[in-house]
Amino acid sequence: MWAALALIPWLRGDRRWKIIAPIVIAVLGLVGAAIAYTTLPGSSSIPPPTLTLDRILAVTSGVVGQLWSSQVPDIAMLAGTLTIILLVTAIALVVAARVRPRDAEPQAVEAAGWTGFAVHALLAAIMIAVSRSGVADNIGESGRYALLSGLAMCALLALGVILWRRLAVLPAVVLAVSIGLVTYTLGSGQATNVRNQYPNQAVLAVAMQLDAKNVMLSLRTKDSVLPAVKGLGAYPFTSDFTLGCGGPELGAKLDVATAPQLVPGTGNAPSGGYVESGKVTGDTMLSGWAVVDGKSADCVLVVDDHDNVVGGGYVGLPRPDVAAAMHTTVTGTGWHAVAAPNATNPQVVVMSGGKAYRLPVAPKQ
């Protein structure tokens, strides 16, 4: 980002301090990052990247081109490679216009913002490649990086219109709309994939708090990152972490001895629910559904035999099958949860309207 912020004022011919300030901040940031990396507790547990040119290029091109294919890595890498070549060419043309005689400078000024945008997208992709290349060649197609592919495409399209002076307004509009529709259509699968991962992030936060390593691994997070995350004081190890119940939190007491048990299974009753993942145990992904008075639950908790809250998760997952069976229009009745690895005789409880309801375990089919 700081390289892009330094490049933009240089292309515009702004005052020198506007160019120097981002560079100084970038250097200070690198020094701070180096100090933090060497002094944070457990920072050595962060898996080192594989700094080989082929893997860095593969991940970089995959990040830039994943918008065109999130399922076939080779296509994403090919599209990314072509996009990178065109972006680098456009950036070089703008820089050349800046250093040429005065009559060429207006073009560099006009393209300065989009050039910085392009540099930011490329450097961000390279940063991901350097830090994540040790995982896999196709890590660049992960949904979490989809935004960079869109940013790179926007920058390329804008620079193309600015630099190609002979392109009339109407063809430029048609080209922009066409590319937008194509990328929007191709990216719908990746967008759905990313949206489907949102609920699991809440479960992952609880798993990290509980040191539930098996669930963390199932959600593609290694437990080796925990010391660094704790050392940085990053979420979920912050004061705003919550189970979403507006009351009971991890470690709190919740007397569920007299809490009613929801009716097992579906039917015409206004309430019901199940733990569908089998016997409730610690450090496993728990799942099921719950309907209370025709509505979805407010939150889900896991309580042990000493009435301690030892887990939680996420509610609101779509379950149209339950809605059909319960004769309700509410579809977000599903839930995922996790309990502490050492939880004794845990049971799943949902909260609705400030009241607790115990969930039965579904019988094996």
Side-chain angles (χ1 to χ4, degrees):
M1 179 182 70
W2 298 111
L5 291 178
L7 177 64
I8 292 173
W10 178 75
L11 291 173
R12 290 176 175 171
D14 292 341
R15 295 181 179 179
R16 289 185 178 180
W17 71 266
K18 293 184 178 181
I19 304 171
I20 297 174
I23 297 175
V24 172
I25 295 174
V27 172
L28 292 176
L30 288 173
V31 173
I35 294 174
Y37 183 81
T38 56
T39 58
L40 276 176
S43 60
S44 60
S45 64
I46 300 175
T50 304
L51 298 178
T52 58
L53 183 60
D54 58 335
R55 300 199 74 170
I56 291 176
L57 290 175
V59 176
T60 303
S61 59
V63 170
V64 175
Q66 71 153 290
L67 196 63
W68 299 96
S69 177
S70 61
Q71 303 298 323
V72 184
D74 290 345
I75 296 178
M77 291 178 189
L78 176 60
T81 301
L82 294 175
T83 303
I84 291 171
I85 292 173
L86 293 174
L87 276 178
V88 171
T89 302
I91 293 169
L93 289 173
V94 174
V95 172
R98 171 66 175 82
V99 298
R100 283 204 305 262
R102 286 287 182 183
D103 57 344
E105 282 194 9
Q107 189 179 45
V109 173
E110 184 181 4
W114 284 108
T115 304
F117 205 63
V119 169
H120 170 64
L122 289 178
L123 290 181
I126 294 172
M127 177 191 70
I128 292 170
V130 171
S131 62
R132 303 291 289 167
S133 59
V135 179
D137 288 346
N138 64 345
I139 188 64
E141 285 78 68
S142 175
R144 71 189 72 176
Y145 307 132
L147 178 63
L148 284 176
S149 182
L151 295 180
M153 199 64 225
C154 290
L156 178 60
L157 183 59
L159 288 174
V161 172
I162 293 173
L163 296 174
W164 192 6
R165 292 294 183 179
R166 291 175 296 177
L167 186 63
V169 174
L170 182 58
V173 172
V174 172
L175 178 63
V177 172
S178 299
I179 293 178
L181 288 174
V182 170
T183 54
Y184 180 83
T185 303
L186 291 176
S188 61
Q190 186 67 288
T192 301
N193 177 39
V194 172
R195 293 189 191 102
N196 290 339
Q197 294 179 34
Y198 288 164
N200 285 336
Q201 301 310 302
V203 181
L204 176 60
V206 179
M208 294 176 72
Q209 281 274 356
L210 299 172
D211 199 20
K213 299 177 181 178
N214 291 331
V215 173
M216 286 179 59
L217 190 60
S218 70
L219 296 175
R220 297 183 294 183
T221 301
K222 296 182 178 180
D223 63 278
S224 58
V225 306
L226 285 175
V229 176
K230 291 178 180 178
L232 289 169
Y235 189 84
F237 302 102
T238 53
S239 59
D240 60 342
F241 171 81
T242 177
L243 296 178
C245 293
E249 298 292 345
L250 291 176
K253 290 285 187 178
L254 181 65
D255 186 3
V256 296
T258 59
Q261 178 175 282
L262 292 180
V263 177
T266 57
N268 294 317
S271 302
Y274 260 147
V275 177
E276 297 177 319
S277 51
K279 181 181 178 181
V280 180
T281 57
D283 198 8
T284 59
M285 180 67 81
L286 308 172
S287 61
W289 60 272
V291 179
V292 182
D293 294 330
K295 300 178 181 179
S296 58
D298 297 331
C299 67
V300 60
L301 302 171
V302 185
V303 181
D304 67 8
D305 54 3
H306 295 292
D307 294 331
N308 297 310
V309 177
V310 292
Y314 180 88
V315 295
L317 294 171
R319 289 294 300 267
D321 58 326
V322 173
M326 295 289 290
H327 305 286
T328 177
T329 58
V330 179
T331 58
T333 58
W335 55 264
H336 284 170
V338 59
N342 58 350
T344 56
N345 301 317
Q347 60 180 320
V348 177
V349 176
V350 295
M351 302 290 293
S352 181
K355 297 180 180 179
Y357 298 86
R358 293 178 292 119
L359 284 179
V361 177
K364 294 183 178 180
Q365 299 295 329

